[in-house]
Amino acid sequence: MKIKLLASASALLWFSQAILHFLLMMGAPLGRFVFGGVYTAFPLWLRPVNLALFLLWTFFGYSYLLYGGVLKSSWQEKTLARIIQFVTVFLGLAACFNFFVSNSFFEKYVTGSITFLAFLISLSLLYNHKQKSPT
């Protein structure tokens, strides 16, 4: 049950980020939360990046639901574990970028906090999932 809750929480955070990029793609003035806050509303030429991130973040959220057993999966456990491990490393790097490199207040403290929380939950999910699995 704990693994399902952790996976669901991670997926929810990924889906919230996916929704943010969908809204940015649609022209919402939420650009201060991403890309260093350079754009308030993303220019048309940059919106395909938001589409790509929307799709990628949705895939990551879906992967967490599969890994945690919230949804049934035909994927191999090893494949899902590698995806989650990769995403966890990405989250750690993204949190460092958000906190220490970004000049945007909103990206630093709002997006950075969400990213750091997702990183901690992901680490906990990996640890608990490993404890559950026979070695």
Side-chain angles (χ1 to χ4, degrees), residues 32-38 89-104 107-109 111-113 115-116:
R32 288 178 260 163
F33 294 100
V34 295
F35 288 74
V38 174
V89 170
F90 170 78
L91 284 168
L93 294 172
C96 287
F97 174 83
N98 287 338
F99 284 132
F100 302 114
V101 176
S102 179
N103 292 323
S104 168
E107 184 174 27
K108 186 175 291 230
Y109 297 108
T111 308
S113 297
T115 304
F116 186 66

Side-chain angles (χ1 to χ4, degrees), residues 14 64 84-101 112 114-123:
W14 279 110
Y64 275 91
I84 301 306
Q85 290 166 354
F86 169 78
V87 171
T88 303
V89 170
F90 170 78
L91 284 168
L93 294 172
C96 287
F97 174 83
N98 287 338
F99 284 132
F100 302 114
V101 176
I114 292 169
T115 304
F116 186 66
L117 177 62
F119 172 69
L120 293 177
I121 293 171
S122 192
L123 278 177

Side-chain angles (χ1 to χ4, degrees), residues 4-17:
K4 286 185 179 185
L5 287 173
L6 291 169
S8 297
S10 290
L12 182 64
L13 291 171
W14 279 110
F15 293 143
S16 70
Q17 291 297 307

Side-chain angles (χ1 to χ4, degrees), residues 28-50:
L30 301 170
R32 288 178 260 163
F33 294 100
V34 295
F35 288 74
V38 174
Y39 304 103
T40 300
F42 273 61
L44 289 175
W45 65 270
L46 198 51
R47 292 186 188 176
V49 173
N50 293 118

Side-chain angles (χ1 to χ4, degrees), residues 62-100:
Y62 177 69
S63 297
Y64 275 91
L65 294 176
L66 295 177
Y67 183 71
V70 177
L71 299 176
K72 297 291 181 197
S73 172
S74 61
W75 293 17
Q76 290 185 4
E77 186 74 23
K78 190 179 276 188
T79 302
L80 287 170
R82 285 188 178 140
I83 291 170
I84 301 306
Q85 290 166 354
F86 169 78
V87 171
T88 303
V89 170
F90 170 78
L91 284 168
L93 294 172
C96 287
F97 174 83
N98 287 338
F99 284 132
F100 302 114

